[in-house]
Amino acid sequence: MDDRRLLRELPRDEALRLLAEARMGRVVFTQRALPAIRPVNHAFVDGHLIIRTNLGSALASAVGGPGSVVAYEADAIDADTRTGWSVVVTGMARLVPDPVEKSRYEGLVEPWIDNSADCVLRIHPDIVNGYRLVAAGETMPAGPVAA
Amino acid sequence: MDDRRLLRELPRDEALRLLAEARMGRVVFTQRALPAIRPVNHAFVDGHLIIRTNLGSALASAVGGPGSVVAYEADAIDADTRTGWSVVVTGMARLVPDPVEKSRYEGLVEPWIDNSADCVLRIHPDIVNGYRLVAAGETMPAGPVAA
């Protein structure tokens, strides 16, 4: 029982700081009415998550036009110690059409995959949920949170 | 340009082997019409993904009754070398109601979080998508795949 962990909720600013420091995460969206997930690298710029993708991709189709609500998750959880953190942001994702703005973001987020990531996506963190997995005896500022 | 990577698709059996060896991943589902994601530990038993959750959780509500299609993702991607793998399984998730079967799975998947994970969820891997991120010069059995 000693290796069971508690979830401690993170304040919004700490959750966003962890997300900003992480260089990759997973974008979650709906593709043909089914849940879809895709690992991707990101940057956190002026309070928004910035990612790049292909115009022809499922993700670009999902958020094309007026935009779409997506979730974005980053984590660093050690399966051996069973400790770490996870942050989930939920918010409206929109393609960035303005060429000047797009070009600025392109300079800040280099695609890892060698393909034409010709779209820039900006996600507004409307809802931020973050927690740490901590050992039961560990003291943390925030109180325990039911899973 | 040298640190750009290619995506190489993984055969189904190799993707499922990587998933089975990983001890945690992220379950993706729909919660009140919004995309939701939750890190969780898992076991791979008899061709199915097994995870545990709370009866009162959003996940249990989402798949309760007749079940629901979820996605499940596991990965091991190194942000420094930009190499690694990701596997996404999409399929029907159902609560396991049979007490004997449930008890067997409970013996194989110990919850990491100290709460009453009283539900066992079984996910059938209907669709399996896996890839490796490899350096452009690296030779691999499978051909390159467009992102």
Side-chain angles (χ1 to χ4, degrees), chain B residues 15-26:
Chain B
L16 289 179
R17 184 181 57 74
L18 287 167
L19 189 64
E21 287 171 5
R23 283 169 290 173
M24 60 151 293
R26 297 139 201 105

Side-chain angles (χ1 to χ4, degrees), chain B residues 34 58 73 81 90 94 98 121 144:
Chain B
L34 292 179
E73 193 260 2
T81 63
T90 309
R94 287 191 181 89
D98 178 69
L121 230 91

Side-chain angles (χ1 to χ4, degrees), chain A residues 28-36 58 61-63 68-70, chain B residues 30 33-35:
Chain A
V28 176
F29 56 104
T30 303
Q31 180 180 12
R32 294 194 204 105
L34 292 178
S61 308
V63 305
S68 171
V69 173
V70 304
Chain B
T30 303
L34 292 179

